[in-house]
Amino acid sequence: MSENVTFTNGGVTLAGSLALPDRGTPVPGVVMVGGSGPSNRDNDTHFPPIRRHLVDAGIAVLSYDKRGVGGSSGDWLDATLDDLASDAAAALDFLRARPEVRGEAAGLFGHSEGGWVVLRATTLRDDVPWVVTNGGPGTTPAVQDRYALATVLRRTEGITDEEVDTALAAYDRVVEAGRRDADFAEAARLAQSPPTAFTEHAAEVDEQFWVFLKRKQDHDPVPDAVRLRCPHLAVFGAADELVPVAESVRLFATAACHPDRDPRATLTVEVFPGADHRVRTDGGTRLAPGYLDTLTRWIIGRTGDRVA
């Protein structure tokens, strides 16, 4: 059973979908938070098969349109990651208030940028029982974007290693400009003069997006990971071209070993061979073998239920 729902966070109304298992008793639940850009409640086509599997396993699923997308008010480009985390926390509050859901067994799932969001959201609530990051970087956005740019350029036919290095140097200058709170005109000049392989990518950024990017670029998820008070499942595709997987695993593991880490905050890492950023294989046509069962069993293992 699925229904359209709305809930509020401050002056923002968020619209989403709540899918409920056909059970006679309250069930665990999960809020699914989408990735970067104008992500809707389905995160393009990524969430529906995951949602179906979770519901079939007896888990309620709430996902929602990001601010300014679909039925939600506001504008994600005007939001901070703290704002987006507050939206996720409000979604969790809404889900927990449903009589069909066991509030103490409802946690958070964030894909890509949503990983940063849900880790921050757990710092806003003392009783989040578990959190899943799916392709969620352990690095800052600036580091992650640099990795993604380097990967794309190195796989582009006709571009030399020297040209890749020149483009990355231009990217670094733009990031430093963001740290100085440079305006859009300066950032555009740095990206275009001299022209590099980065110039074409930078041309996709307008003034509003530049303000959003420089506000977000140095967000560090590690302090949020250190402050976790619940188990964390970090899922990656080994062939992810957007996220530095090995570095992200290292950073999350380092956070898990921090002396201030709460003893309840265990870390489980699952890396699926040959899978992409959405943990898909076969050219992105299907979720990696074992992914859905691994995800479901881990969640159920944190809720005291049994997998259907």
Side-chain angles (χ1 to χ4, degrees):
M1 179 178 68
S2 180
E3 61 180 279
N4 292 325
V5 297
T6 59
F7 56 95
T8 60
N9 181 33
V12 176
T13 297
L14 297 160
S17 298
L18 174 61
L20 295 165
D22 187 15
R23 305 286 175 95
T25 57
V27 297
V30 57
V31 173
M32 299 186 73
V33 181
S36 62
S39 57
N40 63 13
R41 67 192 70 183
D42 290 335
N43 200 55
D44 187 24
T45 61
H46 185 36
F47 284 175
I50 303 173
R51 180 190 299 130
R52 285 193 297 270
H53 191 87
L54 293 174
V55 171
D56 288 345
I59 301 170
V61 180
L62 171 63
S63 57
Y64 56 94
D65 303 329
K66 188 182 285 189
R67 295 180 179 211
V69 179
S72 294
S73 66
D75 188 340
W76 62 271
L77 282 168
D78 291 334
T80 64
L81 278 172
D82 282 345
D83 292 330
L84 299 179
S86 181
D87 291 344
L92 185 61
D93 291 342
F94 175 84
L95 179 64
R96 287 174 160 177
R98 292 287 299 222
E100 304 95 335
V101 175
R102 290 172 45 209
E104 83 286 354
L108 295 164
F109 171 108
H111 172 66
S112 193
E113 177 194 82
W116 292 316
V117 171
V118 296
L119 288 177
R120 176 54 56 89
T122 62
T123 71
L124 306 179
R125 298 291 183 272
D126 292 333
D127 56 352
V128 178
W130 48 267
V131 62
V132 178
T133 57
N134 188 86
T139 67
T140 66
V143 171
Q144 180 261 311
D145 282 342
R146 191 183 196 276
Y147 176 87
L149 175 64
T151 302
V152 168
L153 294 179
R154 289 189 176 115
R155 296 191 177 187
T156 301
E157 187 175 356
I159 294 183
T160 67
D161 289 344
E162 182 179 358
E163 288 171 327
V164 171
D165 291 342
T166 301
L168 293 176
Y171 172 86
D172 292 340
R173 289 193 295 272
V174 171
V175 168
E176 287 300 324
R179 293 182 180 130
R180 299 194 310 271
D181 197 27
D183 61 19
F184 176 66
E186 180 180 354
R189 178 181 60 78
L190 290 171
Q192 297 167 9
S193 302
T196 69
F198 171 58
T199 302
E200 182 178 348
H201 294 269
E204 300 174 2
V205 177
D206 61 16
E207 185 167 5
Q208 187 182 17
F209 196 29
W210 166 244
V211 173
F212 174 79
L213 288 175
K214 66 180 178 179
R215 184 171 61 234
K216 166 187 171 184
Q217 67 178 20
D218 287 323
H219 172 82
D220 186 356
V222 171
D224 290 338
V226 170
R227 290 195 293 268
L228 282 177
R229 296 177 293 276
C230 66
H232 173 199
L233 171 63
V235 182
F236 298 97
D240 192 333
E241 296 184 354
L242 303 181
V243 171
V245 173
E247 178 66 3
S248 294
V249 171
R250 185 190 70 80
L251 289 167
F252 285 143
T254 299
C257 296
H258 194 283
D260 293 336
R261 177 95 157 198
D262 191 291
R264 295 169 293 180
T266 58
L267 172 66
T268 304
V269 175
E270 296 282 354
V271 181
F272 288 85
D276 63 12
H277 184 53
R278 291 186 169 184
V279 202
R280 291 177 172 178
T281 58
D282 297 339
T285 59
R286 68 186 185 109
L287 290 164
Y291 167 79
L292 289 173
D293 288 339
T294 297
L295 174 65
T296 303
R297 289 184 183 279
W298 187 89
I299 293 174
I300 291 292
R302 318 270 92 66
T303 67
D305 287 59
R306 295 177 61 188
V307 178

